[in-house]
Amino acid sequence: MAQITNHMPTAELQALDAAHHMHPFTTGDELAAKGARIITRAKGVMLTDSEGNEILDGMGGLWCVNVGYGRDELAEVAARQMRELPYYNTFFMTTHVPAIALSQRLAELAPGDLNHVFFAGSGSEANDTNLRAVRVYWAQKGKPEKQIIISRKNAYHGSTVGAASLGGMTPMHEQGGLPIPGIHHIDQPNWWAEGRDMTPEEFGLARARELEKAIQELGEDKVAAFIAEPIQGAGGVIVPPSTYWPEIQRICDEHEILLIADEVICGFGRTGNWFGSQTVNIRPDIMTIAKGLSSGYAPIAGSIVSDEVASVLGACEFNHGYTYSGHPVAAAVALENLRILDEEGIIDSVATDTGPYLQEKWKSLAEHPLVGEASIVGMMGSIALTPNKETRAKFASDPGTVGYICRERCFANNVIMRHVGDRMIISPPLVISKPEIDLLIERATLSLDECLAQVEKDGLMQAAS
Ligand SMILES: *Cc1c(COP(=O)(O)O)cnc(C)c1O
């Protein structure tokens, strides 16, 4: 068989892709008809496709390439580790240096007494670990009836059976009989879409208090934990009102439940601190980590748990683990990635330099006629597209129709922004420079202009009744 290379014509590669490769979260037939975009190389914040286009990656891959593409140090560490010890497991009373070093470094970086790491291969797996760990925790403490995990509608916690059940994505729950029992979803703190006549502050409190109400209704003796992203990512970069997290923390303190912060996106500098929990000022018992942990260079994830949780779990055999838990190559790459984030002052820059620069420019997009709110924390941002800013109206067309048009304009203008319904979102590599931020905003604005023209031409600039 002929070797498949970057130098084959795009159409041939697309045909082979369509014939054999099944894509995540994709309608296969639609993609086969259209042809997938083929990314061949990347450096810094720029991708190159098989047609030679240079595309600014406003999404950092999938929210993960925090240190940017093309870092030789990471390639070298991986090669060195592969030669020395490409694999060994951490079951059966064995360990290895990369797992030791990475867990020690994570304990140092994580706030409070989050000092113990259980490794996984992906964020979904780590949340499956959490789901089981909190139930085992309460069983060990003589309260086996504390089983229910409270989560939120429109949360994203991954795609396995457990993680998708924890998540609050309706289209995911509609397939395959989800959610599994024992998961309860409360409403999200999305003021723009759901706040009606309340001020953001009133709304933030009201949504937080749904947690207290749920605990009371389900019974405190039945609830194990509450899980949430400090800032919802895949749900559309929903920045909660300032009143939300302090009230959630109060409720968690006053009731006997564990708080799980899903830091898969917010962690490793995305919000201008090492962890989103520091940005929103909460004290979780467990943090889920993945994505930026290795800047996406190797698949690795984990759960960082408190001294208390670790000591309770440590008294029994936790019958759980993954072949690739603490994979030495991935762990070595993650450790090197943490060194780069730290020594190059990348997170400081998000907090005090390039971050504020991006935030100012991003917020100015709210002046565009198609844009309602523009939200951003650190380097994760969103804009809500709307036919009427004053009433925060939704479009009359199916949700996502206008967002998709905008996404296609972005693609055509060589900038990657994702759409979630009719929100556009960004999460660029944290190393993006000021000139690159200017280019991102320039291409985003052009795409919004073209989208508006198309929406007007198609008669879509109409509010839902
Ligand atoms: C991406 C994501 C996950 C799932 O991680 P995978 O590595 O895709 O399994 C979980 N939680 C959040 C908040 C995420 O953004």
Side-chain angles (χ1 to χ4, degrees), residues 62-63 121-127 156-160 163 229 231-234 262-266 288 290-291 300-301:
L62 263 181
W63 322 82
S122 71
S124 304
E125 289 175 11
N127 278 326
Y156 189 78
H157 297 300
S159 199
T160 54
E229 303 149 84
I231 295 159
Q232 284 156 268
D262 186 337
E263 294 270 3
V264 170
I265 288 174
C266 293
T288 322
K291 295 193 171 120
I300 183 165

Side-chain angles (χ1 to χ4, degrees), residues 374-387:
S375 323
I376 184 164
V377 174
M379 287 199 179
M380 59 192 291
S382 60
I383 49 181
L385 307 182
T386 176

Side-chain angles (χ1 to χ4, degrees), residues 79-380:
R80 205 182 315 136
Q81 186 60 47
M82 279 214 186
R83 291 195 181 97
E84 196 171 295
L85 179 71
Y87 177 76
Y88 201 71
N89 70 72
T90 53
F91 295 29
F92 320 128
M93 312 224 169
T94 60
T95 191
H96 47 67
V97 172
I100 297 168
L102 181 60
S103 53
Q104 186 274 335
R105 181 64 178 138
L106 287 168
E108 210 164 67
L109 291 172
D113 67 349
L114 295 166
N115 287 322
H116 313 268
V117 189
F118 194 106
F119 288 111
S122 71
S124 304
E125 289 175 11
N127 278 326
D128 277 28
T129 298
N130 295 339
L131 190 147
R132 299 192 61 208
V134 297
R135 290 175 172 176
V136 172
Y137 169 87
W138 288 115
Q140 280 295 110
K141 288 182 65 111
K143 297 183 177 176
E145 67 290 354
K146 277 173 85 71
Q147 292 277 301
I148 300 174
I149 297 159
I150 301 175
S151 179
R152 305 182 299 180
K153 293 173 189 166
N154 199 36
Y156 189 78
H157 297 300
S159 199
T160 54
V161 169
S165 295
L166 288 173
M169 298 286 175
T170 315
M172 294 178 77
H173 289 175
E174 280 166 357
Q175 295 174 328
L178 303 184
I180 57 170
I183 318 274
H184 180 84
H185 296 88
I186 59 175
D187 287 317
Q188 59 173 335
N190 183 347
W191 176 78
W192 170 266
E194 301 171 8
R196 296 174 184 271
D197 298 334
M198 282 188 238
T199 66
E201 291 72 27
E202 289 165 351
F203 179 74
L205 278 181
R207 284 290 155 102
R209 284 176 188 156
E210 282 195 21
L211 174 60
E212 194 153 50
K213 210 161 103 237
I215 294 169
Q216 282 156 356
E217 282 169 11
L218 296 162
E220 191 167 328
D221 57 339
K222 300 276 184 343
V223 179
F226 174 61
I227 182 169
E229 303 149 84
I231 295 159
Q232 284 156 268
V237 184
I238 311 295
V239 180
S242 62
T243 49
Y244 181 77
W245 274 114
E247 186 67 359
I248 293 281
Q249 182 67 59
R250 177 194 69 74
I251 294 164
C252 290
D253 288 344
E254 289 180 16
H255 298 273
E256 191 187 46
I257 66 164
L258 297 171
L259 173 58
I260 307 169
D262 186 337
E263 294 270 3
V264 170
I265 288 174
C266 293
F268 307 103
R270 180 56 56 197
T271 69
N273 285 298
W274 277 98
F275 297 97
S277 292
Q278 295 161 322
T279 301
V280 302
N281 197 21
I282 52 171
R283 299 181 309 280
D285 301 287
I286 301 179
M287 296 196 308
T288 322
I289 54 170
K291 295 193 171 120
L293 168 58
S294 67
S295 284
Y297 280 65
I300 183 165
S303 307
I304 314 184
V305 314
S306 67
D307 290 341
E308 151 75 7
V309 170
S311 84
V312 171
L313 289 177
C316 71
E317 182 172 349
F318 185 23
N319 296 309
H320 176 78
Y322 307 107
T323 301
Y324 298 137
S325 285
H327 190 284
V329 177
V333 168
L335 190 63
E336 179 67 2
N337 173 62
L338 298 183
R339 186 195 65 73
I340 292 173
L341 281 171
D342 180 30
E343 287 181 11
E344 296 186 6
I346 292 169
I347 299 174
D348 288 342
S349 180
V350 175
T352 63
D353 186 24
T354 49
Y357 185 81
L358 172 64
Q359 289 151 23
E360 194 191 320
K361 304 235 156 185
W362 185 256
K363 284 186 181 150
S364 72
L365 292 177
E367 285 153 33
H368 193 277
L370 196 55
V371 176
E373 69 166 359
S375 323
I376 184 164
V377 174
M379 287 199 179
M380 59 192 291

Side-chain angles (χ1 to χ4, degrees), residues 45-46 55-60 270 354-355 357-359 361-362 365 376 378-381 383 410 413-418 424-429 432-448:
V45 301
M46 300 302 280
I55 307 152
L56 199 162
D57 186 4
M59 283 305 299
R270 180 56 56 197
T354 49
Y357 185 81
L358 172 64
Q359 289 151 23
K361 304 235 156 185
W362 185 256
L365 292 177
I376 184 164
M379 287 199 179
M380 59 192 291
I383 49 181
C410 292
N413 290 318
N414 288 331
V415 61
I416 302 226
M417 284 210 278
R418 239 174 95 182
M424 304 305 298
I425 59 182
I426 55 160
S427 172
I432 190 170
S433 67
K434 288 177 183 172
E436 288 162 344
I437 290 170
D438 292 342
L439 188 63
L440 169 67
I441 297 295
E442 188 185 303
R443 289 181 180 178
T445 305
L446 172 64
S447 304
L448 284 166

